[in-house]
Amino acid sequence: MMYNNLLERCFFSPKHVGVIDLAEPLTVCYRSGKAGRGDVFDFYLQCDKQGSIVKARFKAYGNPYLIAALELVCHRLESSNIREHPQFDYSWLVEQLEIPGTRYPVALQVHDGYQEILKIMQEKLEGELEMSEVMQHRSDLAAGVTLSDAAKQHILSYLDKQKDSKGIRLSVKRTGCSGLSYVVDYVQSPQDNDIVQVLADDYIICIDKSSYPYLKGMKVDYVRQGLNYKFVFDNPNQKGQCGCGESFTVEDY
């Protein structure tokens, strides 16, 4: 049987035969067909976190049209992006490889496998991104706001005397000559969407969600200055402070 030059090159000198270890990050595999019931192949893809396809591999046996079609598809996939992958239908494979009519099912099978492996990879990539966002959220929450022993003791001493207060709420407001100032309120309960930390067994720290980017990682102390005591805020997000010390700035404000 005579084959065209492209089919001969893809069949006799394939560069994408092999497997990819599924333990590697963002790697998926799709198996098409069943042993003893037509052509069977395994299709492997590996992406980076941006969705770029870094590897495409296949494992198949025997049928030159099947092997050539898989080689051609893998070649087109590598260096493309999972979100902007090459578009084609089975007729393109038929035309490129001059597949005879009796072998059209091979082109259909490879095209279907191509669609399935892309779908599996897209779902895996979306899952990885969602997990990354969750882990980042957890990391942000872990940063939280911490209180010195003096600040904690002062707040708990006050709360123990108040029947209606169950904690403090930290937020920022626009004010002063630098733009933002800290607000400390005593509260009965969290507001909707507040980020809540445990202060003590019966008390909580509430952080205004919209203020949280400006407060995360902050340490609060309670110190004596002259004849008075006051809260002092050690804030890693703060980039500047006004001369009177009443307000501060952050980089993206």
Side-chain angles (χ1 to χ4, degrees), residues 83-104:
R83 300 180 183 88
E84 299 174 356
H85 53 82
Q87 299 289 337
F88 66 90
D89 60 20
Y90 83 96
S91 62
W92 178 81
L93 290 171
V94 169
E95 179 182 351
Q96 293 294 312
L97 300 173
E98 297 181 4
I99 299 175
T102 56
R103 289 295 191 174
Y104 279 11

Side-chain angles (χ1 to χ4, degrees), residues 167-188:
I168 62 168
R169 186 171 191 267
L170 302 174
S171 61
V172 298
K173 66 178 181 179
R174 298 182 183 183
T175 188
C177 45
S178 284
L180 296 173
S181 65
Y182 300 106
V183 179
V184 181
D185 294 313
Y186 291 91
V187 296
Q188 294 180 337

Side-chain angles (χ1 to χ4, degrees), residues 121-156:
M121 177 56 81
Q122 286 169 342
E123 291 173 351
K124 186 174 183 67
L125 185 60
E126 288 171 2
E128 289 286 333
L129 291 175
E130 288 175 2
M131 181 58 68
S132 177
E133 290 174 358
V134 168
M135 295 306 294
Q136 181 61 47
H137 179 64
R138 289 179 178 175
S139 176
D140 285 346
L141 291 182
V145 171
T146 57
L147 305 179
S148 70
D149 290 341
K152 184 175 181 179
Q153 183 177 354
H154 171 73
I155 293 169
L156 290 176

Side-chain angles (χ1 to χ4, degrees), residues 26-65:
L26 291 175
T27 301
V28 297
C29 176
Y30 174 73
R31 168 162 288 188
S32 176
K34 295 182 179 180
R37 297 178 60 184
D39 296 306
V40 179
F41 65 84
D42 292 331
F43 203 161
Y44 295 84
L45 276 187
Q46 185 179 74
C47 284
D48 62 19
K49 292 182 179 180
Q50 286 70 46
S52 296
I53 299 172
V54 295
K55 286 183 184 178
R57 298 289 185 270
F58 71 91
K59 185 170 70 173
Y61 301 97
N63 187 330
Y65 295 106

Side-chain angles (χ1 to χ4, degrees), residues 4-248:
N4 70 10
N5 291 335
L6 178 59
L7 189 146
E8 287 186 352
R9 186 167 68 251
C10 290
F11 176 60
F12 291 112
S13 303
K15 297 180 179 179
H16 297 86
V17 174
V19 301
I20 306 174
D21 186 353
L22 293 176
E24 293 186 19
L26 291 175
T27 301
V28 297
C29 176
Y30 174 73
R31 168 162 288 188
S32 176
K34 295 182 179 180
R37 297 178 60 184
D39 296 306
V40 179
F41 65 84
D42 292 331
F43 203 161
Y44 295 84
L45 276 187
Q46 185 179 74
C47 284
D48 62 19
K49 292 182 179 180
Q50 286 70 46
S52 296
I53 299 172
V54 295
K55 286 183 184 178
R57 298 289 185 270
F58 71 91
K59 185 170 70 173
Y61 301 97
N63 187 330
Y65 295 106
L66 176 64
I67 292 173
L70 288 167
E71 172 66 20
L72 187 57
V73 169
C74 286
H75 174 73
R76 284 174 60 86
L77 272 175
E78 280 193 350
S79 300
S80 67
N81 191 283
I82 197 71
R83 300 180 183 88
E84 299 174 356
H85 53 82
Q87 299 289 337
F88 66 90
D89 60 20
Y90 83 96
S91 62
W92 178 81
L93 290 171
V94 169
E95 179 182 351
Q96 293 294 312
L97 300 173
E98 297 181 4
I99 299 175
T102 56
R103 289 295 191 174
Y104 279 11
V106 169
L108 285 166
Q109 184 183 2
V110 171
H111 180 262
D112 289 347
Y114 171 79
Q115 297 289 349
E116 287 298 321
I117 194 79
L118 290 176
K119 180 180 177 181
I120 294 169
M121 177 56 81
Q122 286 169 342
E123 291 173 351
K124 186 174 183 67
L125 185 60
E126 288 171 2
E128 289 286 333
L129 291 175
E130 288 175 2
M131 181 58 68
S132 177
E133 290 174 358
V134 168
M135 295 306 294
Q136 181 61 47
H137 179 64
R138 289 179 178 175
S139 176
D140 285 346
L141 291 182
V145 171
T146 57
L147 305 179
S148 70
D149 290 341
K152 184 175 181 179
Q153 183 177 354
H154 171 73
I155 293 169
L156 290 176
S157 176
Y158 179 87
L159 290 172
D160 285 340
K161 300 173 185 177
Q162 307 299 314
K163 294 182 179 180
D164 296 331
S165 296
K166 294 298 181 182
I168 62 168
R169 186 171 191 267
L170 302 174
S171 61
V172 298
K173 66 178 181 179
R174 298 182 183 183
T175 188
C177 45
S178 284
L180 296 173
S181 65
Y182 300 106
V183 179
V184 181
D185 294 313
Y186 291 91
V187 296
Q188 294 180 337
S189 61
Q191 295 185 16
D192 291 344
N193 296 322
D194 272 357
I195 296 170
V196 179
Q197 297 179 202
V198 175
L199 174 60
D201 290 342
D202 298 321
Y203 300 115
I204 57 175
I205 301 173
C206 305
I207 306 172
D208 171 47
K209 188 175 182 179
S210 63
S211 302
Y212 186 72
Y214 310 124
L215 301 177
K216 65 181 180 181
M218 183 176 70
K219 297 179 181 179
V220 182
D221 199 1
Y222 188 69
V223 301
R224 182 172 181 173
Q225 292 186 347
L227 299 176
N228 300 312
Y229 284 86
K230 64 180 293 186
F231 286 114
V232 174
F233 305 94
D234 181 8
N235 189 346
N237 309 291
Q238 180 176 311
K239 302 303 179 183
Q241 187 176 23
C242 69
C244 61
E246 294 298 322
S247 59
F248 68 98

